[in-house]
């Protein structure tokens, strides 16, 4: 896998350090950080539960710390299979919307 | 664990019935006085600025303010305060079964704030129940990794240049001696509000600790993604005739030419003076014009304004 990739016309170097704030991780490293199989992450991407921070020229996904956070959240919700895929999607959508609205509200309050 | 109570109303010098506008105005006034770039005593200013920011973080947010107000008005600044079990940042505490406590230092928030508003393990925040041993009503200790969340306050200067911070994490696991460790946290340039920074293996049972970034409020700039927004106050004649002004930018100053006929609310875009973008380059600084009129005028000034009123052809209400 090529670790150099295009991200909005800017080149990033992907590293594999464990605490590497602000860096991006390839699928294998992300999977090891999330303790799940890479195929499961591919599946999450395919059904739209997670979105990679970037993709390289071969369309391989790369994730940041936020991405790892969301994958681990899905893993927790899905640990015993007690949350169905549709419910999972609703929960994640709502949580992301809440976070986005909080950011927007913070900006508006300050203005 | 008892912490010292913080009177946020006292910190901002406002009453408990203050409106959001009054709170915002008090914050900005104090922030301008104590911002480390401006304060004469930088170290004392930095401490005070953090206190003001924390107070505004709570009182400027309706949800947090409501929770804080529930404590009542009987607490005094610095008094020992014992957070309720529901408020403390404990893990696996559902059902009142205390199993572990985490405390942070160096995140930019006081122990009181952590105790009141600190996040928990599992799904974080207050929106979702915690994972762990109590998920199915059980009370046995969880043995699998559980992630945790906490907040970290980051200055705009850190968001611009990046930094390495040290935070102290104190863990009190059930039936074990408390442990303490110092962690280095790398703040990447261009970090965003709400972005998470992961500390691998620092959660419960080897889970990860996610620090959620809160950008410190700045007296001059508001942040929207990578863009910064600020206000430029102008005298009416400066707006009408145009002028050259020096404006603050993050980490410096810039000269701005205000063209003649500038309107109130007009926005100027200064390219690449915002925060770093992930894809490279920097966001913009948007400067909004706020025309200020004098509250009082002396005799001589009055005469000039009257002369202008008599001779000007300007009609601010052409449709009426």
């Amino acid at each position: 896998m090529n670790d150099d990739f295009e991200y909005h016309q800017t080149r990033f170097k992907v590293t594999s350090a464990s605490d590497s704030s602000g860096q991006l991780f390839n699928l294998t490293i992300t999977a090891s950080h999330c303790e799940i199989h890479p195929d499961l992450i591919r599946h999450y991407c395919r059904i739209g539960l997670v979105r990679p921070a970037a993709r390289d020229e071969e369309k391989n996904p790369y994730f940041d710390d936020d991405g790892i956070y969301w994958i681990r959240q899905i893993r927790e919700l899905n640990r015993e299979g007690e949350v169905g895929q549709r419910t999972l999607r609703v929960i994640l959508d709502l949580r992301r919307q809440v976070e986005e609205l909080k950011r927007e509200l913070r900006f508006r309050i300050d203005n | 664990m008892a912490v010292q109570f913080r009177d946020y109303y006292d910190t901002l010098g406002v009453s408990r019935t203050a409106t959001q506008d009054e709170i915002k105005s008090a914050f900005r006034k104090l922030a301008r006085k104590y911002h480390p770039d401006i304060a004469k005593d930088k170290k004392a200013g930095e401490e005070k600025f953090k206190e003001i920011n924390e107070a505004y973080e709570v009182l400027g947010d309706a949800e947090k303010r409501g929770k804080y107000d529930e404590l009542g008005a009987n607490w005094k600044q610095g008094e020992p305060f014992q957070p309720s079990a529901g408020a403390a940042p404990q893990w696996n505490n559902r059902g009142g079964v205390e199993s572990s406590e985490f405390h942070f230092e160096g995140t930019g928030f006081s122990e009181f704030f952590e105790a009141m508003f600190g996040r928990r393990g599992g799904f974080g925040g207050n929106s979702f129940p915690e994972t762990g041993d109590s998920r199915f009503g059980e009370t046995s200790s969880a043995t699998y990794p559980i992630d945790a969340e906490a907040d970290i306050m980051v200055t705009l200067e850190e968001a611009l240049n990046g930094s390495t911070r040290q935070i102290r994490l104190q863990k009190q696991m059930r039936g074990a001696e408390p442990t303490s460790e110092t962690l280095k946290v790398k703040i990447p340039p261009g970090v965003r509000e709400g972005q998470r920074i992961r500390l691998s293996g620092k959660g419960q049972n080897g889970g990860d600790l996610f620090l959620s970034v809160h950008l410190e409020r700045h007296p001059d700039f508001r942040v929207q993604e990578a863009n910064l927004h600020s206000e430029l106050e102008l005298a009416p004649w400066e707006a009408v005739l145009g002028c050259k002004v020096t404006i603050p930018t993050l980490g410096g100053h810039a000269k701005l030419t205000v063209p003649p006929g500038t309107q109130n609310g007009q926005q100027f875009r200064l390219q690449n003076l915002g925060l770093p973008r992930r894809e490279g380059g920097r966001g913009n600084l948007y400067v909004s014009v706020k025309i200020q009129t004098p509250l009082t005028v002396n005799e001589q000034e009055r005469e000039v304004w009257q002369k202008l009123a008599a001779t000007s052809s300007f009609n601010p209400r052409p449709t009426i």
Side-chain angles (χ1 to χ4, degrees):
Chain A
M1 186 178 289
N2 181 13
D3 276 355
D4 282 330
F5 65 97
E6 294 288 320
Y7 183 93
H8 293 215
Q9 283 78 51
T10 306
R11 294 189 81 76
F12 277 72
K13 181 78 177 172
V14 176
T15 65
S16 58
S18 57
D19 285 335
S20 46
S21 306
Q23 292 181 342
L24 295 168
F25 307 97
N26 66 26
L27 186 64
T28 311
I29 295 163
T30 302
S32 88
H33 287 324
C34 299
E35 295 160 34
I36 59 173
H37 197 277
D39 284 350
L40 198 49
I41 299 180
R42 279 199 194 94
H43 173 67
Y44 290 158
C45 291
R46 209 162 35 239
I47 62 175
L49 288 181
V50 289
R51 212 167 43 197
R55 286 186 184 271
D56 64 15
E57 285 152 358
E58 285 97 49
K59 305 285 180 201
N60 295 308
Y62 289 80
F63 298 87
D64 56 11
D65 281 352
D66 257 334
I68 290 172
Y69 170 83
W70 286 110
I71 294 167
R72 290 179 70 105
Q73 293 281 290
I74 295 167
R75 185 197 67 180
E76 281 306 305
L77 283 162
N78 216 15
R79 186 182 285 277
E80 304 290 340
E82 70 265 38
V83 179
Q85 193 174 298
R86 280 176 148 181
T87 315
L88 200 55
R89 189 189 297 275
V90 171
I91 292 171
L92 293 175
D93 282 351
L94 284 173
R95 286 201 58 191
R96 288 186 178 120
Q97 280 177 33
V98 167
E99 289 196 0
E100 187 54 44
L101 287 171
K102 275 186 172 176
R103 271 194 289 272
E104 184 62 28
L105 184 65
R106 194 180 169 89
F107 174 71
R108 283 177 187 266
I109 285 171
D110 288 349
N111 267 315
Chain B
M1 190 181 88
V3 294
Q4 284 194 330
F5 179 78
R6 290 208 165 195
D7 188 336
Y8 292 134
Y9 290 99
D10 188 53
T11 303
L12 291 184
V14 294
S15 75
R16 288 184 171 264
T17 55
T19 62
Q20 281 301 309
D21 278 348
E22 286 169 339
I23 288 169
K24 186 164 70 178
S25 163
F27 164 73
R28 285 196 184 169
K29 200 172 157 189
L30 290 169
R32 284 210 171 86
K33 187 173 171 187
Y34 291 108
H35 190 270
D37 288 350
I38 301 162
K40 283 176 188 166
D41 184 343
K42 286 206 181 302
K43 200 168 180 190
E46 198 173 322
E47 276 308 303
K48 186 76 182 165
F49 189 69
K50 270 186 194 164
E51 283 176 29
I52 297 162
N53 240 291
E54 183 176 304
Y56 187 56
E57 190 72 33
V58 175
L59 301 185
D61 178 310
E63 191 186 331
K64 287 198 183 87
R65 187 182 179 185
K67 193 175 174 187
Y68 178 74
D69 284 348
E70 278 176 22
L71 291 175
N74 299 327
W75 293 93
K76 298 275 182 295
Q77 177 81 24
E79 271 184 1
F81 171 78
Q82 182 72 51
S84 66
Q90 297 165 345
W91 290 352
N92 297 340
N93 198 28
R94 195 170 162 197
V97 184
E98 183 177 315
S99 61
S100 56
E101 274 189 47
F102 282 62
H103 301 283
F104 300 94
E105 279 177 35
T107 59
F109 291 105
S110 69
E111 283 189 326
F112 176 75
F113 182 94
E114 292 286 356
M116 280 293 297
F117 307 104
R119 301 199 190 193
R120 296 167 174 221
F123 291 93
N126 298 319
S127 310
F128 291 85
E130 298 137 62
T131 52
D133 54 353
S134 56
R135 278 192 306 164
F136 305 109
E138 298 164 6
T139 53
S140 61
S141 291
T143 51
Y144 50 81
I146 297 175
D147 293 343
E149 285 184 75
D151 296 317
I152 186 165
M153 187 80 95
V154 171
T155 66
L156 292 193
E157 287 76 10
E158 286 177 310
L160 175 64
N161 302 313
S163 75
T164 302
R165 290 264 290 275
Q166 283 197 345
I167 65 164
R168 203 160 73 89
L169 171 63
Q170 204 181 355
K171 287 185 191 178
Q172 170 74 74
M173 307 302 283
R174 180 164 54 183
E177 288 292 307
T179 59
S180 177
E181 61 179 316
T182 302
L183 309 171
K184 278 190 176 174
V185 181
K186 194 177 164 198
I187 312 286
V191 72
R192 294 276 172 279
E193 174 71 29
Q195 185 176 326
R196 291 179 183 83
I197 296 171
R198 191 175 62 94
L199 298 176
S200 180
K202 301 301 177 189
Q204 190 173 7
N205 299 332
D208 289 350
L209 170 61
F210 288 90
L211 296 174
S212 182
V213 168
H214 285 285
L215 294 178
E216 195 175 71
R217 257 80 168 215
H218 194 282
D220 294 321
F221 307 111
R222 257 73 62 208
V223 184
Q224 191 176 40
E225 299 294 326
N227 297 325
L228 295 175
H229 294 254
S230 70
E231 280 180 353
L232 172 64
E233 292 172 335
L234 292 177
W237 50 89
E238 287 179 318
V240 173
L241 303 173
C243 61
K244 284 188 176 171
V245 289
T246 302
I247 58 162
T249 61
L250 193 56
H253 290 87
K255 282 192 174 160
L256 176 68
T257 302
V258 178
T262 292
Q263 299 295 303
N264 195 35
Q266 191 170 326
Q267 209 169 50
F268 297 104
R269 187 183 65 169
L270 283 78
Q271 277 189 319
N272 301 320
L273 286 178
L275 295 172
R277 293 185 194 277
R278 180 169 206 170
E279 61 269 28
R282 284 175 67 175
N284 303 321
L285 169 61
Y286 292 91
V287 182
S288 298
V289 169
K290 196 176 173 187
I291 297 173
Q292 299 285 63
T293 53
L295 290 171
T296 55
V297 286
N298 61 29
E299 264 313 301
Q300 198 181 357
E301 286 167 334
R302 181 180 298 279
E303 276 175 29
V304 176
W305 283 107
Q306 281 170 340
K307 199 172 171 185
L308 178 63
T311 55
S312 175
S313 59
F314 175 59
N315 178 9
R317 297 171 294 279
T319 55
I320 297 175

